[in-house]
Amino acid sequence: MSRTSNRADGDIVQDFLSVADLLEEPQLAQLYAYLAREGEATVQNVMDDLELAQGTAYSYVNRLVDAGVVDITDDEQPRWYAAREIDLTVTTAAGDREYTITPALIDAVGHRETDADIDTYIDRHGVAGLATALTYAVARERGEVTHRLMAEDLDISPLAAEMILQALRPVVHEHYDIEESGAGLDELDIDDGDAADDA
């Protein structure tokens, strides 16, 4: 589901509203990310792999199908489902920053339920802030930036920057081609002053 110039405005708005649901509900985001990773899956796969009750799994899958972000790929029983590609660019209310909603960002939001650092970061900086942090996390894993540079750029403490970068590391490695040549430029060089900054 890419935003393209030849789509009707109503279609783009519907795309945005569908994606907004994913960003508001971590369980839906987690399910979408699972389907995006797996390629295709049945509701039974969802129940087994995500440890969801049958009613919950069917309800979530149907909501994603109704929202247009998941397709039924095989109508025979059992039905198979696949995530549609999402690539939607959004401008913040202030108009000063754009971010792109991708499967990686949706996956990061899905981790909110199980990762307190991601949950706290979203509470403090919103999904737009998480999208920015994800961009830094990719650059960090590629050895292009440090947690201190991110902290300086975003006016947050170095400890907060390091914590979110570490929390996003599994998402980055799931969705981006990162060579395993080692960590970024700063491999956890947090000093005691960082903790005081975050207090």
Side-chain angles (χ1 to χ4, degrees):
M1 172 191 311
S2 297
R3 177 180 173 173
T4 57
S5 58
N6 62 351
R7 298 197 64 190
D9 288 345
D11 290 341
I12 293 170
V13 169
Q14 184 57 48
D15 286 355
F16 177 75
L17 293 175
S18 298
V19 171
D21 284 345
L22 291 176
L23 299 177
E24 287 295 317
E25 295 191 51
Q27 300 92 343
L28 291 179
Q30 185 180 43
L31 175 54
Y32 173 84
Y34 168 79
L35 291 171
R37 266 194 315 274
E38 294 298 313
E40 288 186 314
T42 65
V43 171
Q44 186 64 52
N45 298 138
V46 169
M47 291 165 48
D48 294 344
D49 295 343
L50 298 183
E51 298 179 4
L52 293 175
Q54 183 176 8
T56 303
Y58 274 102
S59 173
Y60 286 176
V61 168
N62 287 333
R63 284 180 64 191
L64 293 179
V65 170
D66 290 345
V69 295
V70 166
D71 291 324
I72 300 169
T73 59
D74 186 349
D75 219 5
E76 299 287 320
Q77 293 298 330
R79 285 187 175 153
W80 287 82
Y81 300 88
R84 294 179 68 196
E85 182 68 29
I86 293 175
D87 186 359
L88 186 66
T89 300
V90 179
T91 304
T92 59
D96 59 346
R97 194 170 258 155
E98 280 190 354
Y99 64 97
T100 302
I101 299 169
T102 62
L105 177 60
I106 294 167
D107 193 8
V109 170
H111 280 75
R112 183 175 195 173
E113 290 278 300
T114 57
D115 191 307
D117 292 331
I118 290 177
D119 187 48
T120 299
Y121 199 87
I122 292 173
D123 283 344
R124 291 182 182 166
H125 305 284
V127 173
L130 184 67
T132 301
L134 184 59
T135 301
Y136 277 93
V138 172
R140 156 77 174 271
E141 292 303 306
R142 290 180 174 154
E144 299 165 358
V145 299
T146 67
H147 75 283
R148 292 183 185 281
L149 179 62
M150 175 185 172
E152 185 178 314
D153 287 352
L154 302 183
D155 196 25
I156 61 175
S157 75
L159 179 61
E162 181 61 33
M163 289 172 70
I164 193 61
L165 290 171
Q166 287 295 322
L168 290 173
R169 194 166 194 257
V171 174
V172 170
H173 283 273
E174 179 68 37
H175 293 273
Y176 297 91
D177 241 356
I178 305 289
E179 294 197 21
E180 293 291 337
S181 60
L185 299 174
D186 58 358
E187 188 87 25
L188 287 176
D189 71 338
I190 300 174
D191 61 37
D192 293 335
D194 292 343
D197 291 343
D198 212 39

